[in-house]
Amino acid sequence: MDALDLARWQFGVTTVYHFIFVPLTIGLAPMVAIMQTLWLRSGDERWLRMTKFFGKLFLINFAIGVVTGIVQEFQFGMNWSEYSRFVGDVFGAPLAMEGLAAFFLESTFIGAWIFGWGRLPARVHLAAIWLAAIGVNLSAFFILAANSFMQHPVGVELNPETGRAELTSIFDLLTNSTVLWAFPHQITAAWMTAATFVAGIAGWWMVRDRASNLYRPVFRLASVVLLIAGIGVAITGDGQAKLMFEQQPMKMAAAEGLCETEDSAGFSLFAIGNPGPGHCDVWAVSIPGVYSYLATGDFGATVDGVNDLQAEYSEKYGDGRDYVPNLASTYWNFRLMIGFGLVAAAFGTVGLWVTRRDRTPGRWFARFALVAVPAPFLANLTGWIFTEMGRQPWVVAPAPDGDPAIRMLTEDGVSMIGPWTVGTSLTVFTLLYGGLAVVWFGLIRRYAAAGAPEVDSPDEHDDDADRPLSFAY
């Protein structure tokens, strides 16, 4: 493989690893804040124990997420210097906002929350975790604003003298229609991930520790959040698909594996074929009209197929190039995203049903709870892979309603370095991230299996400022 292939693999590997932790951090921070709020309002010691329990798991995930995320931005200079040279003036703005504002907000108040148990007034300590949760979600917005620029560049113009894209409006960049749909979709997906994580662990403990009734309230809370977030994911995903059809019709056609332009195009349940560069040979079993509705809101609408879009792009951006993304990747990742999301939603629905009227399900549900936990993680990962692979061969996709000069092919954004250099860093990062993933899983498993900690008093406030600190608190 050449340097381009290796650089793409490296960014893909590090992004997938990092994105294991991101949705859980985004969703778990406000859920822990809700648990602590319920404790302060009700005085119920069970909510304090749940706050301590899931707060510890949140901190493990946050720490690993920070470590794996640092490398992400370094790669723009290491492997993608030509991309950084072209759009650095624009792309760097939301990344700087994320680092200077959001990340410092979340890290500062997470520190106050960790070391503030028994030292800060109860309401001040509660405010610290809420501010940290706001910072976590604000970080997600700025990162998504940067990514949305790559999907749909706005607020920018080309400087003909330097050949670089220059930011003309930070307001346009931060109110990009793409990020206004991507942000709520990602946030609801993150809440769905965190709720499944909490419900899965609490559900396992609820069955195992029937007598205490300690984990039932948090399980019920997480299941309700899971279903509400699932509805939000569906609504925002539908809006995002319709916007994608306007901005990146090739990505939508590739998601369906739609080769030819059709009226009332169907959504395929299963497809077989031999798609490849320059051809799109796919046979599918489809539900008529559904794809047209997903793309336009009209079951009978005409939607362009991959072959016609290839001809259109060749005329507009230059012949002799394949503008079709990897059809197998986009097609199946799109369906896996939906499928894993439905598994998580089914878990929440079943969980609420089997725990109605103070019932406790049997051991089968404990196994179901643990099996369901990975589902939203996989939904997030496959959704992210679909989003990024579907944009190819562009690293900055041209905007239909913007400056046609603001675009860049992925192969033009790579640094002028040799494959051995990129291959070495790819190997090191893969091994390092693999090790961190093992550490993360081991810590999560260890502290989840330990159960909720005992507490000495409801408020945990004392005058012993010199007591030794244990992990997390």
Side-chain angles (χ1 to χ4, degrees):
M1 293 188 287
D2 58 20
L4 172 62
D5 293 327
L6 292 168
R8 292 180 66 187
W9 270 105
Q10 180 172 305
F11 204 90
V13 167
T14 54
T15 299
V16 166
Y17 272 121
H18 180 56
F19 210 62
I20 294 173
F21 317 109
V22 170
L24 183 58
T25 296
I26 294 171
L28 195 53
M31 286 201 68
V32 171
I34 290 172
M35 295 175 201
Q36 188 169 347
T37 302
L38 291 172
W39 164 58
L40 283 180
R41 290 182 63 87
S42 67
D44 188 339
E45 185 181 285
R46 291 180 297 178
W47 287 114
L48 173 60
R49 295 181 68 184
M50 291 300 101
T51 302
K52 291 270 191 175
F53 180 42
F54 286 104
K56 184 172 292 188
L57 301 180
F58 161 69
L59 292 173
I60 295 170
N61 192 76
F62 178 80
I64 301 290
V66 170
V67 172
T68 57
I70 291 174
V71 179
Q72 294 294 97
E73 295 186 17
F74 287 163
Q75 290 183 85
F76 295 121
M78 295 189 302
N79 295 345
W80 301 98
S81 59
E82 290 302 310
Y83 164 81
S84 299
R85 185 199 64 80
F86 180 57
V87 297
D89 292 350
V90 184
F91 192 77
L95 294 184
M97 292 178 179
E98 190 272 337
L100 294 174
F103 182 72
F104 276 105
L105 176 67
E106 64 190 76
S107 58
T108 297
F109 286 103
I110 282 177
W113 188 71
I114 293 172
F115 299 107
W117 285 99
R119 293 175 172 84
L120 294 175
R123 294 186 181 278
V124 174
H125 188 252
L126 175 62
I129 187 60
W130 274 112
L131 288 170
I134 292 171
V136 167
N137 284 264
L138 195 59
S139 285
F141 175 79
F142 288 126
I143 295 298
L144 287 169
N147 181 265
S148 294
F149 168 79
M150 300 168 69
Q151 310 284 346
H152 180 238
V154 295
V156 60
E157 65 180 15
L158 182 68
N159 185 327
E161 295 182 1
T162 63
R164 299 177 63 180
E166 295 182 352
L167 183 65
T168 58
S169 173
I170 188 64
F171 178 79
D172 289 345
L173 181 68
L174 297 180
T175 58
N176 187 346
S177 57
T178 307
V179 74
L180 295 182
W181 277 111
F183 178 66
H185 186 62
Q186 183 57 68
I187 293 303
T188 50
W191 274 71
M192 195 173 181
T193 303
T196 306
F197 179 82
V198 172
I201 295 174
W204 183 81
W205 270 108
M206 178 181 63
V207 174
R208 182 178 179 181
D209 190 16
R210 292 171 177 267
S212 70
N213 202 32
L214 173 62
Y215 296 92
R216 173 181 291 273
V218 74
F219 173 80
R220 298 278 296 180
L221 170 67
S223 297
V224 171
V225 172
L226 170 55
L227 292 183
I228 294 174
I231 294 171
V233 168
I235 294 173
T236 55
D238 179 66
Q240 198 173 23
K242 289 174 172 57
L243 183 66
M244 191 185 303
F245 176 73
E246 298 176 6
Q247 297 176 350
Q248 295 180 304
M250 180 66 85
K251 182 188 290 188
M252 278 299 292
E256 177 51 35
L258 184 68
C259 296
E260 304 297 337
T261 299
E262 292 184 17
D263 299 327
S264 189
F267 180 84
S268 61
L269 302 176
F270 181 79
I272 57 176
N274 183 33
H279 64 89
C280 174
D281 302 321
V282 176
W283 177 86
V285 177
S286 302
I287 304 174
V290 175
Y291 172 67
S292 289
Y293 178 80
L294 290 175
T296 66
D298 180 1
F299 284 99
T302 301
V303 289
D304 293 331
V306 165
N307 292 333
D308 288 334
L309 288 169
Q310 168 65 25
E312 177 186 332
Y313 284 22
S314 294
E315 181 179 352
K316 185 182 296 185
Y317 304 117
D319 201 0
R321 164 171 297 283
D322 185 13
Y323 293 98
V324 182
N326 186 301
L327 291 180
S329 176
T330 51
Y331 180 89
W332 287 112
N333 277 292
F334 186 70
R335 278 148 185 79
L336 289 171
M337 173 187 67
I338 296 172
F340 286 126
L342 290 175
V343 170
F347 168 60
T349 304
V350 171
L352 286 175
W353 175 255
V354 298
T355 57
R356 70 193 187 282
R357 299 176 184 174
D358 293 328
R359 298 181 183 181
T360 300
R363 291 185 176 274
W364 66 270
F365 188 75
R367 292 190 291 270
F368 181 29
L370 294 182
V371 170
V373 169
F377 289 89
L378 294 171
N380 276 278
L381 290 177
T382 52
W384 193 255
I385 292 171
F386 161 71
T387 298
E388 297 305 292
M389 290 291 290
R391 189 182 66 241
Q392 299 303 316
W394 306 103
V395 67
V396 178
D401 55 350
D403 185 349
I406 305 299
R407 66 178 193 268
M408 174 174 267
L409 293 165
T410 303
E411 64 187 37
D412 295 332
V414 73
S415 301
M416 298 296 108
I417 53 179
W420 283 103
T421 303
V422 187
T424 300
S425 59
L426 169 61
T427 302
V428 172
F429 286 147
T430 301
L431 293 174
L432 178 62
Y433 275 38
L436 288 173
V438 172
V439 170
W440 171 79
F441 179 78
L443 289 173
I444 292 291
R445 184 179 183 277
R446 172 185 174 185
Y447 287 102
E454 297 289 343
V455 292
D456 296 330
S457 62
D459 57 11
E460 287 253 315
H461 286 268
D462 57 50
D463 297 326
D464 184 9
D466 296 325
R467 68 185 184 281
L469 295 175
S470 63
F471 171 76
Y473 306 110

